[in-house]
Amino acid sequence: MGTQAIRPARITAVLPNSIAEEIGFEPGDALVAINGQKPRDLIDYRFLCADEDLSLEVLDGHGKTHRVEIEKDIDEDLGLEFETALFDGLMQCNNACPFCFIDQQPPGKRGTLYLKDDDYRLSFLYGSYLTLTNLLPQEWERIAQLRLSPLYVSVHATEPEVRSRLLKNARAGQILAQLAWFQEQRLQIHAQVVVCPGINDGDHLQTTLRDLARFHEGEIPAVASAAVVPVGLTRFRPPGDELSPVSPAQAQQVIAQVQAFQADCQQRFGTNFVWLADEWFLIAQQNVPTESHYEDYPQLGNGVGSIRQFLKAFEQSAAALLPTAVSPPRTLTWVVGNAVEHAFQPMVDRLNRVEGLTVRLAALASDYWGRDLTVTGLLTGHDLLLALSDLPSDPSQPHPLGDALLLPSVMLKPSDSGDPQATLFLDDMSVAEVSQRLGCPILPVDDTDALIMACCGELPQQPFADLQPAAGYWAPN
């Protein structure tokens, strides 16, 4: 659970032309209370700031307390950003799921990699998944009172014994009663099921999907959607975990099973309701479905439709931004996980039709994680150095990688220090170090517009070129 000690909310940014800027707030100030109440998180802050008359207790960067009175329009935002959304600390997970990625990492890396959150507030604010096993009665009451909906819930199985086995927590067996609570409260969740072969697949998966579909009835379905995701395993996972990776044959079976269930849901509800993560199709070596299949992309955060959405975004960016020629001519290497090699090849072909532009796709597996099929976001600095350091030389190029390396920012996270020059891969290696050791400029890009601008804009001159913190997930798994 969180520390429950509510700390002053440290301000990191003041938005231009905002009420906060007009009053004189500065980064480094801290918000202590609003109308006499200490906000425990960003949810409280937004709720309390919805009033027209505010009395703020503020601690400035020198430790001096100020009281600020504000009159504003109702629901008008103050224009403050904070270093964290949780002022009273993170609610951490009390389960021991053997497939948890946090426990499948090597020891000794930066501390933030090992935080196992199971916090309903992050679920509401940012769409992260929680299990509901950590919630105290007062937290359930708060969810109902503030109408915190939808939440995102890791269900995995609805049979009590199967779910308790997966989560290693006896309380995990209460999931059907908890779903009934959401139904009674007229609140919603989006569910995910991580399929572990031999444990919750086959008939167990069918039972889980049927149970979840029962809560899709009514004017406000308690379960708005469900995603089926293949388990992801690394070589660092705990010994004796009973888990095995999904094989191509198993992926084909799950695809067929879920697609049959989707057809039934289309007849019953007029929607697919349950969705397959893109990775199933990659493992099975099948094409991802067409755009119309994904409706309004209700499970995009689970990698459901992210490839198809990215391909569409690329088409739009190419139509608007891609020139017929570039000068001077340049050769670029685009690094992705080998899971998307086939899906991305048409985009590479389109880029290479630009006169003077050569883009080579480096589709890599992850030696670091021990994965034969690797999603882009899991590639590490170790993987790049291993795969790209000893490429054969090309007499026509100043460097085997060409003029620069295009790097999806989904691979990167800011360091704990916040220094943009220390932006890190999951193995704690910095982009600056990888760039220097490869002897090639690196261009992190965070969406399809940035990809095309990096391909066609001014070439970098330094081994490490103007890295900014990753702005978001630009590419699918």
Side-chain angles (χ1 to χ4, degrees):
M1 300 292 291
T3 64
Q4 305 306 313
I6 302 176
R7 300 181 298 272
R10 186 70 57 187
I11 296 167
T12 56
V14 180
L15 300 183
N17 304 314
S18 65
I19 294 174
E21 183 184 58
E22 181 181 344
I23 291 173
F25 278 93
E26 296 179 350
D29 294 343
L31 182 62
V32 178
I34 304 170
N35 290 342
Q37 296 188 52
K38 294 182 178 181
R40 56 182 291 192
D41 48 40
L42 195 57
I43 298 171
D44 272 355
Y45 165 77
R46 292 175 177 174
F47 180 79
L48 293 170
C49 284
D51 206 346
E52 293 177 306
D53 299 308
L54 302 181
S55 176
L56 308 182
E57 181 181 345
V58 181
L59 195 66
D60 67 23
H62 303 287
K64 183 178 179 181
T65 299
H66 303 264
R67 296 198 178 275
V68 180
E69 306 295 327
I70 297 175
E71 292 184 9
K72 64 176 187 63
D73 293 335
I74 194 166
D75 291 334
E76 185 178 3
D77 186 61
L78 295 183
L80 295 174
E81 294 182 354
F82 304 95
E83 66 178 350
T84 176
L86 308 177
F87 312 148
D88 63 352
L90 178 71
M91 295 181 182
Q92 296 205 48
C93 186
N94 61 3
N95 304 304
C97 307
F99 51 85
C100 178
F101 184 79
I102 302 299
D103 294 332
Q104 294 190 65
Q105 300 182 94
K109 303 300 179 182
R110 63 189 185 276
T112 51
L113 292 177
Y114 304 103
L115 292 176
K116 296 174 64 173
D117 79 85
D118 200 21
D119 200 308
Y120 70 96
R121 300 168 298 177
L122 296 182
S123 184
F124 174 71
L125 291 168
Y126 305 120
S128 60
Y129 279 82
L130 78 160
T131 65
L132 303 175
T133 61
N134 283 320
L135 293 179
L136 298 174
Q138 58 264 35
E139 307 297 352
W140 287 101
E141 292 172 8
R142 188 177 186 228
I143 291 170
Q145 179 187 12
L146 297 183
R147 311 300 297 167
L148 302 184
S149 177
L151 298 183
Y152 295 77
V153 178
S154 293
V155 173
H156 305 323
T158 53
E159 296 167 278
E161 64 278 7
V162 178
R163 192 169 193 255
S164 294
R165 175 185 175 188
L166 281 168
L167 273 62
K168 303 292 189 292
N169 188 332
R171 290 194 298 276
Q174 302 171 9
I175 185 63
L176 288 176
Q178 291 166 339
L179 294 179
W181 181 89
F182 280 94
Q183 188 175 54
E184 293 166 3
Q185 298 294 326
R186 296 172 65 83
L187 299 174
Q188 291 187 303
I189 72 156
H190 293 279
Q192 76 166 356
V193 177
V194 174
V195 173
C196 302
I199 301 178
N200 66 336
D201 58 349
D203 291 342
H204 296 303
L205 176 59
Q206 196 72 13
T207 296
T208 296
L209 297 181
R210 282 199 304 263
D211 286 341
L212 293 175
R214 287 196 293 110
F215 291 97
H216 192 66
E217 307 277 359
E219 181 183 355
I220 303 178
V223 180
S225 70
V228 178
V229 183
V231 65
L233 305 177
T234 82
R235 64 185 177 92
F236 301 109
R237 71 181 193 268
D241 60 10
E242 305 180 278
L243 301 180
S244 59
V246 175
S247 69
Q250 289 168 330
Q252 293 166 10
Q253 292 171 0
V254 171
I255 290 171
Q257 180 181 9
V258 173
Q259 287 181 337
F261 196 86
Q262 287 175 328
D264 181 61
C265 288
Q266 279 288 349
Q267 291 186 340
R268 294 172 59 192
F269 309 125
T271 174
N272 284 337
F273 171 65
V274 58
W275 307 88
L276 287 156
D278 293 354
E279 198 173 350
W280 289 109
F281 300 98
L282 303 178
I283 296 171
Q285 299 179 342
Q286 297 181 13
N287 292 328
V288 297
T290 60
E291 182 185 356
S292 61
H293 168 82
Y294 294 105
E295 299 174 15
D296 60 350
Y297 293 91
Q299 286 277 355
L300 191 62
N302 260 319
V304 176
S306 53
I307 288 178
R308 183 57 64 192
Q309 189 180 71
F310 183 69
L311 293 172
K312 179 181 179 181
F314 177 82
E315 292 174 1
Q316 295 171 335
S317 296
L321 300 173
L322 200 60
T324 57
V326 295
S327 182
R330 73 283 308 273
T331 296
L332 303 167
T333 298
W334 181 11
V335 177
V336 298
N338 62 349
V340 296
E341 180 177 12
H342 174 71
F344 278 25
Q345 191 58 50
M347 289 185 288
V348 176
D349 296 341
R350 175 66 184 91
L351 291 169
N352 286 331
R353 292 205 297 269
V354 175
E355 183 181 349
L357 176 62
T358 300
V359 176
R360 299 183 299 210
L361 195 65
L364 310 183
S366 178
D367 176 79
Y368 181 82
W369 298 113
R371 292 169 63 101
D372 295 327
L373 191 70
T374 299
V375 297
T376 300
L378 288 182
L379 290 175
T380 66
H382 166 91
D383 296 321
L384 268 65
L385 293 177
L386 181 68
L388 304 178
S389 292
D390 298 318
L391 294 179
S393 61
D394 183 346
S396 66
Q397 296 297 327
H399 190 281
L401 295 173
D403 297 286
L405 199 67
L406 301 174
L407 194 71
S409 59
V410 69
M411 300 179 193
L412 309 174
K413 293 291 182 290
S415 70
D416 290 351
S417 69
D419 178 5
Q421 293 293 317
T423 300
L424 303 175
F425 293 91
L426 283 173
D427 61 355
D428 271 359
M429 194 172 292
S430 73
V431 178
E433 178 185 354
V434 172
S435 176
Q436 291 161 2
R437 290 176 61 176
L438 290 175
C440 182
I442 286 180
L443 297 175
V445 288
D446 59 13
D447 57 25
T448 54
D449 284 358
L451 171 65
I452 290 176
M453 293 169 64
C455 287
C456 302
E458 184 176 348
L459 293 173
Q461 301 299 315
Q462 302 298 324
F464 180 65
D466 296 327
L467 176 69
Q468 298 298 322
Y473 290 163
W474 73 283
N477 290 337

